[in-house]
């Protein structure tokens, strides 16, 4: 039986994805309305700070995030308890957007400093919304690896099996490299890293306080 937060997150994300697919046929773009816009953009709205976590760009984006939520989030929620897990999930999601905004602001200032003419890259920052639960999911993966570092994970392709702690370190290194180099453009790499960072800090703090495990 699924723990309550994971179950409801799965349902809400599925409903929002279906609503987006249906409503766009009637000229209603939920991804633009509920996706997270840069805070200096004219399309930015306060509710996007939360709603962006429930919007996904395509089916595979949704599927991968929900699969990770199911596999690792369920174990984490059972371990630390429902209330703490709910807090953990949203703090990771908010931490992801905080780091993402910080990087976007640095990029925007750099682009504006290059010259008086507004570049296409700057326009893209203003117009392109950020979508998905990936920041929170990266936090969950880090949290799971901190609790169960020696559990074995196996990739579907390539079929490699490693301990969770090594997979997470590899994932973070890849995200950092691709974020710095601009590889895989269109992916919010620093949002992923932000979610992972806040996930690490929360688990570390709860461990230090002796309040981590569900009691």
């Amino acid at each position: 039986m699924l723990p309550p937060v994971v179950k409801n997150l799965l349902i809400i994300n599925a409903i929002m994805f279906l609503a987006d697919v249906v409503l766009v046929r009637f000229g209603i773009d939920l991804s633009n309305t509920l996706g997270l816009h840069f805070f200096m953009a004219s399309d930015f709205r306060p509710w996007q700070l939360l709603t962006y976590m429930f919007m996904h760009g395509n089916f595979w984006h949704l599927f991968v995030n929900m699969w990770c939520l199911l596999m690792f989030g369920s174990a984490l929620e059972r371990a630390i308890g429902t209330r703490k897990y709910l807090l953990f999930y949203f703090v990771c999601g908010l931490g992801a957007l905080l780091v993402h905004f910080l990087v976007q602001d640095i990029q925007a200032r750099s682009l504006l400093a290059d010259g008086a003419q507004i570049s296409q890259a700057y326009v893209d920052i203003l117009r392109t919304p950020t979508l998905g639960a990936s920041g929170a999911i990266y936090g969950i993966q880090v949290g799971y690896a901190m609790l169960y570092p020696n559990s074995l994970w196996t990739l579907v392709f390539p079929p490699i099996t490693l301990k969770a702690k090594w997979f997470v370190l590899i994932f973070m290194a890849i995200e950092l490299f691709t974020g710095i180099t601009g590889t895989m453009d269109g992916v919010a790499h620093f949002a992923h890293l932000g979610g992972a960072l806040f996930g690490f800090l929360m688990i570390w703090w709860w461990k230090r306080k002796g309040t981590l495990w569900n009691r």
Side-chain angles (χ1 to χ4, degrees):
M1 187 174 180
L2 290 176
V5 174
V6 168
K7 180 178 70 174
N8 284 289
L9 286 173
L10 289 170
I11 293 171
I12 294 170
N13 276 278
I15 290 173
M16 294 305 294
F17 180 75
L18 290 173
D20 192 23
V21 170
V22 172
L23 291 177
V24 75
R25 299 176 183 274
F26 298 93
I28 301 173
D29 189 353
L30 281 185
S31 291
N32 189 68
T33 304
L34 302 181
L36 180 65
H37 289 270
F38 182 44
F39 62 85
M40 292 179 63
S42 60
D43 286 331
F44 172 74
R45 300 290 184 273
W47 62 73
Q48 296 168 359
L49 300 175
L50 289 177
T51 57
Y52 92 97
M53 290 184 246
F54 301 101
M55 306 304 300
H56 290 83
N58 55 58
F59 172 78
W60 289 111
H61 187 200
L62 173 72
F63 178 82
V64 171
N65 278 344
M66 294 304 99
W67 176 256
C68 290
L69 175 66
L70 179 64
M71 295 298 293
F72 308 119
S74 297
L76 193 59
E77 183 176 347
R78 292 189 180 102
I80 68 177
T82 294
R83 290 184 180 180
K84 197 175 296 177
Y85 177 78
L86 182 64
L87 174 65
F88 179 85
Y89 184 88
F90 282 105
V91 168
C92 288
L94 292 171
L97 74 85
L98 181 64
V99 174
H100 182 61
F101 272 166
L102 176 62
V103 172
Q104 280 190 317
D105 187 53
I106 293 171
Q107 291 173 333
R109 292 177 185 274
S110 175
L111 290 167
L112 289 176
D114 285 341
Q117 186 175 4
I118 301 298
S119 68
Q120 183 59 46
Y122 181 76
V123 173
D124 289 342
I125 289 175
L126 295 180
R127 291 184 178 176
T128 306
T130 299
L131 309 171
S134 301
I137 296 301
Y138 269 76
I140 288 170
Q141 290 178 326
V142 168
Y144 180 94
M146 291 176 72
L147 268 59
Y148 310 106
N150 296 317
S151 64
L152 297 178
W153 292 4
T154 301
L155 293 180
V156 175
F157 182 82
I160 298 173
T161 299
L162 288 174
K163 291 181 179 179
K165 58 185 177 183
W166 301 124
F167 260 131
V168 165
L169 287 174
I170 291 170
F171 291 161
M172 295 307 107
I174 291 172
E175 288 296 324
L176 182 60
F177 174 79
T178 51
I180 292 174
T181 61
T183 310
M184 295 176 64
D185 192 27
V187 177
H189 300 291
F190 288 101
H192 298 169
L193 290 169
L197 173 63
F198 275 75
F200 171 83
L201 291 174
M202 290 193 73
I203 296 296
W204 173 81
W205 177 251
W206 283 333
K207 276 188 172 183
R208 183 180 179 185
K209 297 280 286 185
T211 58
L212 175 63
W213 301 97
N214 186 19
R215 297 171 187 265

